Amino acid sequence: MKKSIISLSLLLSVTQPTFAEEFSFTSQLNSNADTLLVFKQQGKTSKHFDTLNTQSSSHLSNALLAAEFKAKLGQTATILAPNNLPYKRVVVVGLGNEALTKQSLTKLGGDLSGKLELDAIKEITFDTSVIGHPDAAALLAHGINLRAYRFETYTKKKRKQKSFTIASSSSSSANDNYSALANIEQGVFLARDLISETATEMTPKDFVKAAKELKQYGVKVTVLEPKKIKKLGMGALEAVGRGSSQGSRLIVAHYEGSDDAPIALVGKGITFDSGGYSIKTGKSIARMKSDMAGAAAALGTVKALALNKSKHNVVAVMGMAANMVSETSVAPGDVVKTAEGLTVEILNTDAEGRLVLSDALWYAREHYKPQVMVDIATLTGSKVGAVGNRYAAVFSDDDALVNELTVAGKEVNENLWRLPLGYKDMLKSPIADLANIGSSGPGATTAATFLQQFVGDTKWAHIDIAGNALASSGKGEVAPGGTGYSVRLLTNWIENHKK
């Protein structure tokens, strides 16, 4: 029996190895498993279900009738296996009556992972042949492992690994397909680990260590220290980190999979956001360790692409700082000069992400001459008010780019909703070229419009992932904690949609 074990051990000194399940892709079921999972469509059952139902004298069918099982997509029924079967339990999973897609299968895998969390369930076997989708085995495994993730650095009780044997008519191709998806998982898990780590243990210096681990995959990592940042005139990035003893960093992770002009991913990396002198209040401040989720997503995407030996040239530029309060912190009313040459009046020190991104966008544009730039940031609460946390917001004046990103996100259940640019007149300042917040108008739009002033003629999109970076509970393929939102979206866009 051919067995392929996909596992992950993250090399960050600041975290424990990331949790991962064990998967085997075979041509037959594992009779030694404690749990058999079978699929049932409305009006159609798998051959394994029919065979087992006959062997158990209709025990399974009667149990489903008693449970009022309708075979709706994602519906499950757990049945105590009769003594004549080699399993302890049989889990029947509904497939509905609609054609299953890449995104629905991944989500289904995630939902199944959540329902199989019981410690008593250790080994699961199931057959995907009834599903019909050629990549069903790999996609289900992908969803299962994404949901199984846990950040366990500080917990005494660790989740116990489960073993999945997935029977497929083409186990070899399933293994190959999943290997590529598992590499994407590593990028997602890197982002999740970085986001979930405490602010004390994930400072700009710690993020530098994480980025340097990618060198082993052929990624060139460059780090600009505070003196270099100041010398280059990146006054906005420098100002945000001024209140922290570590200061700011600009980290560049460059994967050169081709000789084409690079695709630039620019990430906001605020490792903790106190709000500065415009200090945050209430419970929300405890979540501000996740304000570097944009940088984490950019770095995670580069890792996924490097592991999959992508044929694209991709550079991640990440502006890093901790926005803290001290006697050296930037004060409301201060004016800083960006590397672009534009001056900015800082009316609110809690609108710091756009300052960090302004210099990072300039650096990516001037030093790498990218064909396209996409920035990712937990930028505004206004975005959450506009579209909630089931969508990220995308801003661009390039219709084709918006469409590419939106389609790529839909295919991996990381949905985008387009919001408008505009209201530049609301960013006027009496003493500087720009103010860092709008005098009125929609906050997410004025923030995106602020960023637009630093992209020049480069094709550009801004993705606001505020509200998407952390999950309070698991759902689908998303586990509780840091989500790594947009790693899968960006990887899919670069590999399958970007020409």
Side-chain angles (χ1 to χ4, degrees), residues 68-303:
E68 297 184 346
F69 184 79
K70 305 296 184 183
K72 295 179 180 178
L73 179 61
Q75 183 183 11
T76 60
T78 302
I79 302 167
L80 184 67
N83 292 332
N84 62 319
L85 298 183
Y87 312 102
K88 293 181 179 178
R89 65 190 65 79
V90 177
V91 179
V92 185
V93 182
L95 295 176
N97 57 7
E98 300 291 333
L100 294 170
T101 63
K102 175 181 177 180
Q103 55 265 42
S104 64
L105 283 167
T106 305
K107 182 180 183 300
L108 178 61
D111 287 334
L112 291 177
S113 180
K115 292 174 180 177
L116 296 170
E117 284 186 1
L118 296 175
D119 287 344
I121 298 177
K122 298 179 177 63
E123 290 188 70
I124 304 100
T125 187
F126 59 91
D127 184 3
T128 60
S129 60
V130 70
I131 297 177
H133 194 288
D135 299 326
L139 291 168
L140 286 167
H142 186 47
I144 288 168
N145 212 32
L146 285 169
R147 176 66 176 272
Y149 166 92
R150 293 293 183 275
F151 181 75
E152 298 185 322
T153 301
Y154 303 108
T155 57
K156 181 178 180 180
K157 184 179 180 181
K158 310 298 182 185
R159 181 170 177 170
K160 295 179 180 179
Q161 186 183 54
K162 298 184 187 299
S163 175
F164 289 81
T165 302
I166 304 176
S168 170
S169 57
S170 181
S171 57
S172 178
S173 63
N175 179 67
D176 291 342
N177 291 339
Y178 182 62
S179 293
L181 292 172
N183 287 334
I184 296 172
E185 289 168 18
Q186 290 205 32
V188 174
F189 293 165
L190 169 59
R192 288 179 178 179
D193 280 349
L194 294 170
I195 296 164
S196 298
E197 184 54 90
T198 65
T200 302
E201 299 298 330
M202 186 46 59
T203 66
K205 286 184 178 180
D206 294 311
F207 200 99
V208 167
K209 294 177 186 177
K212 287 183 176 179
E213 293 292 347
L214 269 61
K215 289 182 177 181
Q216 64 187 302
Y217 308 120
V219 177
K220 181 180 179 181
V221 179
T222 304
V223 180
L224 275 61
E225 304 283 343
K227 287 183 179 179
K228 183 67 172 179
I229 289 171
K230 195 167 185 177
K231 184 178 180 180
L232 289 173
M234 292 190 280
L237 173 57
E238 184 274 333
V240 176
R242 199 181 293 167
S244 167
S245 61
Q246 288 192 12
S248 303
R249 299 292 187 281
L250 187 81
I251 304 172
V252 180
H254 191 185
Y255 171 75
E256 297 182 80
S258 77
D259 295 328
D260 296 336
I263 298 164
L265 306 177
V266 182
K268 172 188 171 183
I270 303 300
T271 57
F272 184 73
D273 183 18
S274 71
Y277 277 107
S278 305
I279 197 161
K280 294 179 181 293
T281 58
K283 295 180 180 179
S284 67
I285 197 168
R287 299 195 297 271
M288 288 302 104
K289 66 180 184 178
S290 69
D291 210 21
M292 34 64 70
L299 191 65
T301 300
V302 169
K303 181 174 184 178

Side-chain angles (χ1 to χ4, degrees), residues 287-318:
R287 299 195 297 271
M288 288 302 104
K289 66 180 184 178
S290 69
D291 210 21
M292 34 64 70
L299 191 65
T301 300
V302 169
K303 181 174 184 178
L305 294 167
L307 287 172
N308 274 330
K309 296 180 171 55
S310 173
K311 301 301 182 184
H312 293 274
N313 185 356
V314 182
V315 59
V317 179
M318 297 153 283

Side-chain angles (χ1 to χ4, degrees), residues 239 242 277-278 328-336 345-349:
R242 199 181 293 167
Y277 277 107
S278 305
T328 58
S329 298
V330 68
D334 281 355
V335 174
V336 298
E345 182 184 11
I346 301 176
L347 297 177
N348 189 319
T349 60

Side-chain angles (χ1 to χ4, degrees), residues 336-412:
V336 298
K337 188 175 183 179
T338 66
E340 181 72 27
L342 294 172
T343 56
V344 180
E345 182 184 11
I346 301 176
L347 297 177
N348 189 319
T349 60
D350 195 24
E352 83 300 328
R354 65 203 70 183
L355 299 175
V356 166
L357 286 172
S358 65
D359 279 337
L361 285 164
W362 170 86
Y363 188 89
R365 190 188 87 215
E366 290 298 310
H367 288 261
Y368 290 92
K369 310 298 181 188
Q371 55 177 293
V372 59
M373 293 194 298
V374 176
D375 77 73
I376 319 100
T378 48
L379 204 62
T380 65
S382 173
K383 172 267 163 185
V384 182
V387 299
N389 60 10
R390 296 183 184 181
Y391 290 83
V394 61
F395 302 79
S396 179
D397 56 9
D398 190 300
D399 295 343
L401 178 57
V402 169
N403 185 63
E404 286 177 7
L405 291 166
T406 302
V407 171
K410 185 176 181 180
E411 289 176 348
V412 295

